[in-house]
Amino acid sequence: MNIVVLVKQVPDSSMDRSLRSDDNTVDRGSASNVINEMDEYAIEEALRVKEAHGGEVTVLTMGPSQATESIRKALQLGADKAVHVLDDALAGSCAVATSRVLAAALGQLNPDLVLCGAESTDGRVQVMPHMLAERLGIAALTGARKLTVDGSTLTVERQTEEGYEVVTASTPAIVSVWDTINQVRLASFKGIMAAKKKPVQTLSLADLGVPAEEVGTAGATSEVVSHRRRPPRSVGQRITDDGTGGVRLVEFLAAEKFV
Amino acid sequence: MAEVLVVVEATRELGVKKVTLELLTLARQLGSPSAVVLGGPGAADRLGAQLGEYGAEKIYAAEHEDIDGYLVAPKATVLADLVRRVQPAAVLLASSQEGKEIAGRLAVKLDNGLLTDVSELAPDGTATQVVFAGSTIVTSRVTRGLPLVTVRSNSVTPAPAPATPTVERLDVVLGEADKLARVLDRVAEQKGSRPELTEASVVVSGGRGVGSADNFKLVEELADLLGGAVGASRAAVDSGFYPHQYQVGQTGKTVSPQLYIALGISGAIQHRAGMQTSKTIVAVNKDPEAPIFELADFGVVGDLFKVVPQAVEEIRKRR
Ligand SMILES: Cc1cc2nc3c(=O)[nH]c(=O)nc-3n(C[C@H](O)[C@H](O)[C@H](O)COP(=O)(O)OP(=O)(O)OC[C@H]3O[C@@H](n4cnc5c(N)ncnc54)[C@H](O)[C@@H]3O)c2cc1C
Ligand SMILES: Nc1ncnc2c1ncn2[C@@H]1O[C@H](COP(=O)(O)O)[C@@H](O)[C@H]1O
């Protein structure tokens, strides 16, 4: 099975994140960047499908040059090769444009199965899998907490507000995963050594046949007008329980009209 | 006045979800609200009264078994046809998983920008979003096409404004590409009668400090007394104390209730990401240094196994 995993590099969520003051885009330069956490579960699931059913795992990422660090990590974990869409004109791309570019790249890779994270921690937009499915005319099984592959039939347990749905489709299809789907592995020493020799192909917008003016800041379909730090919450009241903590808590709730 | 399309979310037991009533309330400030019901046969009939009560002037009803039978794509197709025809002033959806997914497909179909997780929307289309774990406030707008916006629950106070909606049935014309992801089964998991986590006006969450799945009964008891939903930190979920769909935080749900009570939760940045915009925050934690106290309007430094049972008893006494 030809499997492609979408991997996005994002600013580390445990560090302070910000937008740039010049163009209001995510500050990727000064932030410490990591693989979007949910994508690690997509990589793991891709490796498991390959181990069970055979095939090849290709990492696909669109992002600035430092995204090679994330690609490297995915290769160390066991992906076979990578494609990095890298072009200065991509800076500031909105979700609509990003989906255009990733769809063009997927069109060249011709996968049976595309795996990706359910959402990214920077934008939390949760739209990419359905945007790609729409463009490619393939099925999207999103929010998976379980994936079963039986020949060309994919079945997913999709996590919902009320419980879950069992959803099925034939390949080619795109599946997005939550962190409940598996336990991710750590890179082995052998994996780290092997990654050094794995091929990483760089594609430009021209290679993909996507006009530069339709992506990046120039082609954006939405814009950030302004941004500011949210004012810190005012300091509240704190008590130490002296045996009446529960009662005083309820007194507070009553004063605020919650009881 | 131009129409504003509101995509309806509903459940079988409770009817129209609160977030949809919030969207109708918001839509009234932008134009004339039209509710769009996308569902199986008979889906719209039982929702009409509630939608009218909150100001829907019109109800578009697209009812077809394929809308329920396949994931998301049929809804986006029907909605795109409707948008092309009525040229609304804006399209509003809930910032739920499905709301975002429909919006994503719609954006591609219409080559239209989209904004997700919006907390305010001005009549000129300027949207406000709180990003990066609640640390940054952004204003933004769609620059190509109409404002296509998904709105976070609890951003607007739903207010009734009775109207008598006209109902228009929509033809459901689907293509092959809409019927690729087939729904085989829908399974409801235990939740009892509690409100949905993202919609609840009170959320009581437990963390690792709660200690066990069994002890979560204490969290549930307090939640039930306050008419709230139960949430959990990731550490509590990872330890198997509570199911994942109740996780609050960066990799879980974002909640913004009137009252958030954190029991035995340290307040790591990834947890704060999901609850920081709550109106009132209360914390019980035995560690006076726990970062959750930086956010708390009222904090009790103490053992939750002493404080919470006492609070439960006190609430009962006051009734
Ligand atoms: C990429 C990423 C994403 C993440 N996403 C999320 C997310 O979505 N949601 C989330 O919650 N976390 C998330 N985390 C994890 C987060 O960093 C913390 O590890 C987690 O929130 C800790 O949960 P906790 O507060 O329950 O546990 P702990 O940090 O272990 O805190 C337990 C607290 O309970 C207190 N306590 C113990 N016993 C008692 C008692 N008897 N009475 C009173 N207090 C007591 C302790 O003093 C302590 O402060 C994420 C982490 C990463 C790296
Ligand atoms: N620039 C990108 N490069 C590769 N994958 C991406 C990119 N943006 C989004 N994705 C994938 O789409 C998923 C959902 O992202 P989002 O819709 O941005 O929340 C992510 O978890 C990634 O797997």
Side-chain angles (χ1 to χ4, degrees):
Chain A
M1 188 169 283
N2 180 4
I3 307 166
V4 173
V5 194
L6 301 180
V7 173
K8 182 181 185 182
Q9 195 181 48
V10 296
D12 188 344
S13 59
S14 58
M15 316 287 261
D16 192 39
R17 292 171 292 172
S18 59
L19 294 168
R20 286 160 55 131
S21 49
D22 50 354
D23 62 0
N24 292 331
T25 60
V26 177
D27 191 344
R28 294 178 196 278
S30 64
S32 151
N33 295 299
V34 296
I35 291 186
N36 176 41
E37 203 215 358
M38 228 53 93
D39 301 355
E40 297 188 21
Y41 297 86
I43 296 169
E44 176 65 35
E45 199 60 22
L47 298 174
R48 290 183 187 201
V49 173
K50 176 188 158 174
E51 282 155 11
H53 304 277
E56 194 179 43
V57 175
T58 306
V59 175
L60 171 60
T61 200
M62 165 184 140
S65 56
Q66 70 259 31
T68 47
E69 300 154 23
S70 295
I71 290 175
R72 185 64 54 201
K73 186 164 177 218
L75 294 175
Q76 290 173 351
L77 288 169
D80 299 293
K81 60 191 177 68
V83 173
H84 184 176
V85 183
L86 175 67
D87 199 307
D88 288 344
L90 285 168
S93 290
C94 64
V96 177
T98 300
S99 72
R100 169 115 205 254
V101 174
L102 290 176
L106 287 171
Q108 292 193 359
L109 293 167
N110 211 17
D112 302 302
L113 172 62
V114 182
L115 278 158
C116 69
E119 68 175 18
S120 53
T121 51
D122 56 348
R124 299 205 68 169
V125 252
Q126 235 177 69
V127 293
M128 203 48 63
H130 276 280
M131 284 185 154
L132 293 172
E134 182 68 39
R135 289 190 187 277
L136 297 168
I138 65 174
L141 306 177
T142 42
R145 66 179 196 189
K146 185 173 175 213
L147 168 66
T148 316
V149 178
D150 181 5
S152 62
T153 304
L154 307 173
T155 307
V156 149
E157 263 183 40
R158 163 181 159 97
Q159 212 166 287
T160 64
E161 304 285 342
E162 286 84 21
Y164 66 93
E165 296 170 335
V166 184
V167 195
T168 187
S170 299
T171 57
I174 181 161
V175 175
S176 78
V177 306
W178 286 112
D179 50 357
T180 35
I181 196 164
N182 57 39
Q183 296 276 323
V184 301
R185 68 191 71 187
L186 297 171
S188 65
F189 179 72
K190 206 168 134 240
I192 292 170
M193 297 313 289
K196 299 194 164 118
K197 294 192 227 57
K198 290 176 177 171
V200 179
Q201 185 189 9
T202 304
L203 294 178
S204 66
L205 284 169
D207 294 330
L208 293 174
V210 175
E213 61 276 14
E214 290 180 19
V215 299
T217 321
T221 59
S222 59
E223 68 171 11
V224 173
V225 182
S226 69
H227 66 91
R228 65 196 144 93
R229 299 297 275 195
R230 192 159 159 272
R233 295 180 75 97
S234 53
V235 183
Q237 191 185 345
R238 177 157 28 137
I239 63 160
T240 301
D241 183 30
D242 57 359
T244 63
V247 171
R248 290 175 70 190
L249 195 159
V250 175
E251 281 165 3
F252 172 82
L253 294 180
E256 299 285 321
K257 309 243 179 320
F258 291 114
V259 287
Chain B
M1 222 172 9
E3 281 180 68
V4 175
L5 299 186
V6 170
V7 178
V8 174
E9 287 198 6
T11 63
R12 228 171 278 281
E13 317 84 66
L14 302 173
V16 179
K17 283 197 192 178
K18 190 169 126 220
V19 65
T20 298
L21 307 180
E22 294 168 7
L23 294 180
L24 286 170
T25 306
L26 176 64
R28 298 204 303 264
Q29 292 153 30
L30 311 171
S32 165
S34 296
V36 187
V37 179
L38 306 158
D45 295 341
R46 56 199 178 82
L47 306 177
Q50 240 180 321
L51 296 171
E53 191 188 337
Y54 283 82
E57 302 282 347
K58 192 164 188 177
I59 296 173
Y60 292 105
E63 299 174 319
H64 196 285
E65 57 204 17
D66 287 346
I67 292 183
D68 266 351
Y70 297 91
L71 216 59
V72 187
K75 295 186 177 176
T77 293
V78 173
L79 197 56
D81 288 342
L82 183 64
V83 171
R84 286 192 196 98
R85 179 157 65 85
V86 307
Q87 299 287 326
V91 180
L92 309 183
L93 302 98
S95 245
S96 57
Q97 176 172 345
E98 193 176 88
K100 291 180 185 184
E101 292 177 343
I102 298 172
R105 283 192 178 257
L106 201 59
V108 167
K109 281 179 193 289
L110 303 173
D111 192 24
N112 195 107
L114 93 158
L115 298 171
T116 55
D117 279 319
V118 164
S119 55
E120 290 169 42
L121 183 64
D124 70 352
T126 306
T128 304
Q129 295 158 299
V130 182
V131 302
F132 295 155
S135 66
T136 305
I137 297 175
V138 161
T139 59
S140 48
R141 60 192 184 93
V142 170
T143 50
R144 192 185 306 157
L146 51 86
L148 170 57
V149 172
T150 75
V151 182
R152 239 181 219 180
S153 294
N154 282 334
S155 301
V156 182
T157 309
T164 312
T166 56
V167 179
E168 183 181 327
R169 309 255 158 213
L170 299 178
D171 288 337
V172 176
V173 186
L174 302 175
E176 285 304 303
D178 296 321
K179 297 194 252 184
L180 297 174
R182 195 151 57 88
V183 180
L184 298 179
D185 200 5
R186 290 202 165 85
V187 183
E189 287 176 316
Q190 38 79 242
K191 189 174 76 160
S193 54
R194 287 184 200 108
E196 205 168 272
L197 184 53
T198 51
E199 299 214 318
S201 44
V202 175
V203 174
V204 183
S205 287
R208 201 198 309 268
V210 173
S212 71
D214 203 39
N215 289 346
F216 249 79
K217 290 205 186 90
L218 193 56
V219 182
E220 294 182 330
E221 196 178 7
L222 183 58
D224 289 342
L225 275 175
L226 297 169
V230 175
S233 75
R234 182 174 188 168
V237 169
D238 286 351
S239 311
F241 300 170
Y242 222 64
H244 180 266
Q245 64 263 38
Y246 300 101
Q247 182 175 314
V248 171
Q250 171 150 300
T251 41
K253 299 276 154 54
T254 302
V255 300
S256 197
Q258 297 295 322
L259 172 64
Y260 187 88
I261 303 185
L263 305 174
I265 292 177
S266 61
I269 186 164
Q270 295 89 358
H271 186 78
R272 292 158 66 150
M275 44 68 75
Q276 187 132 237
T277 57
S278 305
K279 303 282 179 317
T280 300
I281 297 174
V282 171
V284 180
N285 194 306
K286 65 181 181 191
D287 174 10
E289 306 293 322
I292 193 75
F293 287 123
E294 291 161 25
L295 300 183
D297 299 287
F298 190 83
V300 182
V301 180
D303 185 347
L304 73 91
F305 296 108
K306 299 208 173 86
V307 176
V308 178
Q310 188 179 72
V312 163
E313 196 193 330
E314 177 68 16
I315 295 172
R316 289 226 170 88
K317 226 189 293 174
R318 285 171 180 249
R319 297 229 158 127

